[in-house]
Amino acid sequence: MFTKNDKFVTSHLSQHSEWGIPMPNHKKNYVTAAKFMLHGGDYNPDQWLDRPDILEEDMKLMKLAHTNAFSVGIFAWSTLEPEEGVYHFEWLDKIFENIHSIGGRVILATPSGARPAWMSKKYPEVLRVNAARVKQLHGGRHNHCFTSEVYREKTQKINRLLAEKYGNHPALLMWHISNEYGGECHCETCQEAFREYLKIKYNHDLKTLNDSWWGPFWSHTISEWSQVESPSPIGESMVHGMNLDWRRFVTDQTISFYEHEIVPLRELTPTIPITTNFMADTRELIPFQGLDYSKFAKHLDVISWDAYPAWHNDWTTTADLASKVGFMNDLYRSLKQQPFLLMESTPSCVNWHDVNKSKRPGMHLLSSMQMIAHGSDSVLYFQWRKSRGSSEKFHGAVVDHDNSRENRVFKDVTQVGQTLEKLSGVIGTNRPAEVAVFYDWESNWAINDAQGFGVRTKLYPETVQKHYKAFWERDIPVDVITKEHDFSSYKLLIVPMLYLVSEKTISRFKEFVANGGTIVMTYISGLVNEHDLTYLGGWHKDLQEIFGIKPVETDTLYPSDQNSVTFRGTTYQLNDYATIIEVATATVEGIYEDDFYAQTPAVTSHQYQAGKAYYIGGRLEHAFQQAFYQDLIDELSLKPVFHVKHGEGVSVQVRQSPESDYIFIMNFTEEKQPIVFETIVRDLITGEAMEGELTLEKYEVRIVEKTNEV
Ligand SMILES: [Zn+2]
C-alpha cells in the first residue's frame, strides 16, 4: 500500500521559481528547495537607522556567522509610512542592497503585525474589541480587527507598494506575511461578519442553527439573526456549538484577511513563495490553539513556524521535550507533506518563560539539527541583533549588546552556519512514513469546552504526543496528520482521544480498516459530532462495527486513585480515565484490576474485514504505550529507515532522497551514549567513514549519509 517514492519531492527547480514552486494554482509536487539551507533570521534595521556604523557592522557579522537569509520589515510600518501617505523606502532600498552585496537573501515581511499610531488615531475602527466588549487602545502588536475594511485596505496598499518596489529585486527570496497571526476581535463589524458566516453555513435557516446549537437549553433558542453575539465572559460562553462555530469563524476570518493581504503579491510577484509563521503554545510545546492550521496550511506555499522549546527546564527531561519538538515538526511538515521552514528560534534564551535559561554548550547545534532532521530547510532566528530598548532587549540574538563576534552564542551560530553549508543534499528531501498519528484542532477546542471528565486532565495534545513518543523512541518515522489528509496509504493510524468526530470521518476510518489498515483509538473518542452534539443511542454504530465493542461509561480518577491494567501479562498503572467496555465481537487484550469494573475489558482488538482495530480504554503509564506499540511494530513490520543501536534519549531521524539517506543521530541526554552502526556510512561534516561502535558526547549530534543504490 506504500511505495517508497510516493512521497519524495524532487529537488529540481522549476522554470517558475527559484524554489521550484509552481504557483499560484499549484496542487501537488511542491518543492520548497532553495539552493541553500537558509540561515539567518529576523533583522530589524529600522531600529538602528541613526547608527549607520551598526548597520555596516551587521553586514560583516552576517558573513562571519555564515548567515544568508533575513526576514526584514516585520514591524516596520511606522518607519515605512510615518504619516498617512508619506512613505520612506530609502532605508529599505539600502538594506536590500547591503544584504544583496554579501550574497544574502531577503524574506520580505508585510508589516500588518503592528500598525502605526496615526492609523489607530484617525481610524479607530482598526482597533480590536476584546471578548468582554472592551475596545482596546493603540499599543502592543497583533491588536487589529481582521474584518475592518480600513485595515484591510491600508494593509493591501502598503503590501502593493512593497511588491512594486522590491518584487523584482534579485535579493527577494520569499514573502513573510504579517507575523504570528492570532487573536480575535468582537467589534460590531466582526459580529455582523459572524452572523453572515452563520447564515451561509446554516442556509439562512435559523431552525438549523438552533438545532445545531441545542437552542432550547437554558432558553437559548434565537428568533432573529441579530440576536447572535459572539462568545463572551459577560454574555454567553457555554453554548458549545456556538463556541465551535466562533473559533471556525475566527480561523476563516484570519485566512480571509491573509488572502486579502496577498492579492497584490500574487498579482505582481507570482513566482515568489508565500508563507506566514505558525506558532506553538510554548511551555508544553503543543500546537497553537487559536487557529486551525489544518485549514490555513492550504493557503500557504511553504509552512514555516516559530519553535521555542524550553530546553534545560525543571519539569521534563531533555529527551521528553525533544520528542515533543519531533511531534511539532512532524505535524507542521505533514500539513503540506513537504519540507518546512524554521522561521524563528533562539540562539540562546527567550524572554517570556518564568525562567529564561541559556542553551548549554552543544544544545544550539543539536536543537537546530533536530529541526533539519524532521524536515526543515532552514535555521532562522528571532533575532539577529538584540534591541536596545523595550520588551525584547534581553531576548536571545545572534549579536548581543556587546557587538562581539567572540562570545559563545555568536560562535554557536557560526558553527550551525558552517554545518548547514555541508547539508545541501538534504534540501528538499522528505520523510516518508507508514505510521500516522491523528491530530484535530476542532476536537481539541470541543474537549476543552466539555464540562465533564477532569478539568485539568483532558490534555488532548499532550496525550497525542505521548502516543507519538513511542515511535520517536524507536526511530520510526511518523506523519502527524489531520482530517484534511488522505490517510489511506498508511499501515497504521493512531487516533488518541478524538472526542469530536464527524460521521464523514468515521466512515473514512471504516474504509481505512476495511481495506487493510490498522487503527488504534482510545478512551473519550467519538463522543460528539461536528456541532459538538453527542451521538445518541450509544457509540456510533460504525465505530461499534469497526472495534467490535461499545464503550459504555468513563470513570474519571483523582490523582490519588489507584488502579491498573494488566495487558498481555504485565500490569500498568492507570491514571485519569478508565472507560468501561462492553465487548461484542472483539478480543480482550487487557483488563482493569480494581474498582467496580475490575476484571472487565480495558484493551481490545478486533479484526474488521481486511484490517484490525484496537481500543485502549484507560490512560496508562508510558511503559504501556511502549509495550503495546512494540507488538504492533513487530506485527506490521514497521522499521526505522536506518538502524542504529542506542540507548534511551538518543534519536535517529532520517531525510530521504532517491539517492541518499541523510541520518541525524542526536543525543538528548546529559550523559555519554554508546551507539553502534550496522552499516558503513559517511560523516557529512568530517567526511570520515563510520562503522561499528561510537560514543556520542552529551548533546552531541552526528549527521551521516548512506548512499542508496538507485
Ligand atoms: Zn472587529
Side-chain angles (χ1 to χ4, degrees):
M1 71 172 60
F2 171 79
T3 53
K4 197 178 175 192
N5 286 321
D6 277 351
K7 291 175 186 171
F8 282 122
V9 288
T10 60
S11 55
H12 301 125
L13 301 175
S14 86
Q15 56 183 342
H16 305 298
S17 153
E18 177 185 6
W19 284 53
I21 297 172
M23 296 197 313
N25 295 315
H26 43 70
K27 287 215 165 20
K28 50 172 89 166
N29 297 325
Y30 298 96
V31 179
T32 59
K35 292 170 184 165
F36 47 89
M37 283 280 177
L38 309 185
H39 186 223
D42 287 18
Y43 180 39
N44 301 309
D46 40 312
Q47 295 178 15
W48 300 96
L49 294 182
D50 59 350
R51 289 296 302 267
D53 55 321
I54 282 183
L55 297 180
E56 201 177 311
E57 178 73 2
D58 280 335
M59 295 304 124
K60 291 178 193 157
L61 295 175
M62 284 171 180
K63 280 175 82 171
L64 273 174
H66 292 250
T67 53
N68 55 36
F70 303 93
S71 304
V72 177
I74 295 173
F75 296 117
W77 202 335
S78 67
T79 309
L80 290 167
E81 192 181 0
E83 292 172 50
E84 187 172 17
V86 177
Y87 298 101
H88 288 284
F89 289 105
E90 63 288 346
W91 65 274
L92 191 50
D93 295 347
K94 181 87 173 98
I95 294 301
F96 259 86
E97 285 317 309
N98 287 351
I99 291 174
H100 189 48
S101 73
I102 58 163
R105 305 298 297 272
V106 174
I107 300 168
L108 185 57
T110 66
S112 69
R115 65 183 176 278
W118 58 257
M119 199 189 300
S120 306
K121 194 80 180 165
K122 183 166 179 190
Y123 307 99
E125 71 158 89
V126 302
L127 294 164
R128 201 171 271 188
V129 172
N130 72 13
R133 307 305 193 256
V134 178
K135 197 172 183 72
Q136 307 295 285
L137 299 175
H138 180 79
R141 54 178 182 158
H142 310 311
N143 52 3
H144 35 267
C145 170
F146 285 132
T147 313
S148 157
E149 282 303 323
V150 170
Y151 199 57
R152 287 181 174 219
E153 186 193 309
K154 291 286 174 196
T155 301
Q156 209 178 71
K157 189 168 183 190
I158 190 102
N159 292 1
R160 179 172 292 280
L161 290 170
L162 287 168
E164 283 170 355
K165 198 102 179 68
Y166 305 106
N168 293 317
H169 198 289
L172 179 64
L173 182 65
M174 67 187 307
W175 288 106
H176 179 302
I177 308 303
S178 198
N179 183 67
E180 297 182 339
Y181 281 118
E184 54 194 49
C185 176
H186 298 257
C187 76
E188 198 37 54
T189 316
C190 286
Q191 300 294 343
E192 261 318 301
F194 183 40
R195 289 169 199 137
E196 289 306 310
Y197 167 89
L198 295 171
K199 282 180 196 169
I200 292 165
K201 174 162 185 167
Y202 294 105
N203 297 319
H204 292 262
D205 180 11
L206 269 178
K207 181 175 182 330
T208 316
L209 176 139
N210 282 316
D211 289 349
S212 301
W213 290 4
W214 205 241
F217 179 79
W218 289 355
S219 204
H220 283 328
T221 302
I222 56 171
S223 53
E224 282 179 21
W225 292 97
S226 62
Q227 292 160 11
V228 171
E229 275 281 344
S230 62
S232 169
I234 59 164
E236 188 52 70
S237 63
M238 294 187 193
V239 175
H240 293 170
M242 177 172 81
N243 291 353
L244 202 50
D245 278 339
W246 169 251
R247 293 186 183 106
R248 288 171 176 141
F249 164 77
V250 169
T251 292
D252 284 9
Q253 200 69 353
T254 306
I255 294 171
S256 154
F257 181 85
Y258 157 90
E259 281 291 349
H260 202 263
E261 277 216 33
I262 69 172
V263 167
L265 314 183
R266 289 290 192 215
E267 181 191 320
L268 298 170
T269 63
T271 63
I272 302 294
I274 291 180
T275 191
T276 187
N277 45 343
F278 285 173
M279 294 180 277
D281 276 3
T282 55
R283 189 191 132 104
E284 292 302 331
L285 211 74
I286 57 175
F288 177 63
Q289 310 287 292
L291 296 170
D292 184 346
Y293 284 160
S294 70
K295 281 188 181 170
F296 208 151
K298 295 173 190 165
H299 299 260
L300 309 181
D301 297 323
V302 184
I303 300 292
S304 64
W305 79 285
D306 301 346
Y308 292 103
W311 298 111
H312 321 294
N313 64 64
D314 64 357
W315 65 85
T316 186
T317 65
T318 305
D320 194 44
L321 183 56
S323 81
K324 284 167 165 270
V325 176
F327 171 90
M328 292 302 305
N329 280 327
D330 283 332
L331 171 63
Y332 291 162
R333 177 184 54 76
S334 300
L335 283 176
K336 290 189 90 71
Q337 291 290 356
Q338 62 178 24
F340 60 90
L341 298 177
L342 170 62
M343 187 59 86
E344 292 182 19
S345 61
T346 179
S348 53
C349 56
V350 298
N351 68 337
W352 67 76
H353 288 310
D354 288 347
V355 174
N356 297 290
K357 205 168 177 78
S358 297
K359 282 181 177 170
R360 297 359 245 171
M363 181 50 83
H364 184 53
L365 181 65
L366 174 67
S367 58
S368 299
M369 289 308 111
Q370 189 193 13
M371 305 303 291
I372 304 292
H374 282 270
S376 177
D377 277 356
S378 71
V379 176
L380 298 168
Y381 308 114
F382 180 85
Q383 48 191 336
W384 167 255
R385 177 183 284 280
K386 280 185 181 173
S387 57
R388 190 172 181 198
S390 293
S391 73
E392 286 171 335
K393 63 179 177 289
F394 295 119
H395 189 292
V398 180
V399 182
D400 211 325
H401 299 125
D402 63 5
N403 208 37
S404 169
R405 56 190 75 182
E406 298 302 326
N407 71 35
R408 190 175 71 93
V409 172
F410 191 86
K411 285 180 177 169
D412 279 356
V413 167
T414 306
Q415 185 191 14
V416 167
Q418 289 165 332
T419 305
L420 289 172
E421 284 165 5
K422 295 183 176 172
L423 302 183
S424 54
V426 181
I427 297 163
T429 60
N430 210 340
R431 288 164 48 81
E434 295 177 306
V435 181
V437 172
F438 198 90
Y439 182 79
D440 188 62
W441 269 270
E442 293 188 346
S443 190
N444 188 43
W445 292 335
I447 198 171
N448 285 336
D449 264 356
Q451 289 150 292
F453 311 107
V455 172
R456 279 175 290 278
T457 55
K458 293 201 184 89
L459 302 173
Y460 166 65
E462 291 85 347
T463 303
V464 181
Q465 288 179 329
K466 281 186 176 151
H467 285 258
Y468 169 91
K469 191 184 177 192
F471 295 87
W472 180 84
E473 289 170 327
R474 285 161 184 75
D475 307 325
I476 292 172
V478 172
D479 283 347
V480 182
I481 62 162
T482 72
K483 61 180 178 296
E484 305 293 327
H485 289 96
D486 171 17
F487 43 76
S488 59
S489 68
Y490 297 99
K491 278 186 176 174
L492 174 60
L493 179 62
I494 299 163
V495 189
M497 278 184 87
L498 191 65
Y499 168 76
L500 176 151
V501 58
S502 67
E503 290 202 292
K504 188 176 157 202
T505 305
I506 291 173
S507 71
R508 291 174 65 210
F509 290 152
K510 195 174 176 185
E511 195 185 335
F512 170 76
V513 184
N515 290 332
T518 298
I519 194 168
V520 178
M521 200 173 248
T522 76
Y523 55 95
I524 316 185
S525 289
L527 300 195
V528 301
N529 70 9
E530 68 273 26
H531 300 296
D532 207 344
L533 293 172
T534 57
Y535 285 106
L536 297 179
W539 219 31
H540 194 282
K541 64 176 177 29
D542 281 353
L543 291 173
Q544 292 191 42
E545 231 180 286
I546 303 168
F547 290 89
I549 60 161
K550 188 155 94 175
V552 288
E553 189 179 347
T554 295
D555 189 23
T556 304
L557 280 70
Y558 280 100
S560 58
D561 286 340
Q562 300 280 322
N563 204 340
S564 56
V565 164
T566 299
F567 168 74
R568 296 177 185 164
T570 306
T571 301
Y572 301 95
Q573 193 187 321
L574 172 78
N575 301 300
D576 305 332
Y577 299 109
T579 292
I580 299 162
I581 300 165
E582 204 175 281
V583 168
T585 47
T587 304
V588 177
E589 303 271 358
I591 52 163
Y592 294 111
E593 287 297 349
D594 207 349
D595 223 313
F596 68 92
Y597 40 94
Q599 304 306 308
T600 68
V603 183
T604 60
S605 67
H606 186 238
Q607 187 75 39
Y608 175 71
Q609 297 191 15
K612 208 159 177 187
Y614 292 85
Y615 187 85
I616 303 170
R619 182 176 282 171
L620 296 163
E621 62 176 309
H622 189 58
F624 168 81
Q625 261 92 249
Q626 291 176 316
F628 176 83
Y629 286 119
Q630 186 59 59
D631 288 354
L632 267 185
I633 286 165
D634 295 341
E635 199 177 312
L636 298 171
S637 300
L638 303 169
K639 290 187 175 60
V641 179
F642 183 79
H643 196 255
V644 179
K645 273 191 195 161
H646 60 77
E648 210 175 296
V650 173
S651 171
V652 180
Q653 301 294 333
V654 184
R655 289 181 66 172
Q656 295 182 275
S657 76
E659 298 80 26
S660 289
D661 289 351
Y662 299 95
I663 304 144
F664 296 72
I665 305 133
M666 300 167 279
N667 179 8
F668 290 104
T669 75
E670 282 65 35
E671 291 85 36
K672 289 184 181 195
Q673 294 286 345
I675 56 170
V676 182
F677 289 104
E678 293 173 345
T679 320
I680 301 180
V681 289
R682 188 178 70 87
D683 188 303
L684 268 174
I685 310 306
T686 64
E688 66 181 305
M690 292 166 53
E691 193 186 12
E693 280 189 45
L694 190 82
T695 300
L696 289 181
E697 297 297 322
K698 168 185 176 179
Y699 302 150
E700 188 178 359
V701 51
R702 298 293 292 256
I703 308 157
V704 301
E705 180 180 11
K706 182 171 117 355
T707 309
N708 295 321
E709 290 169 23
V710 182

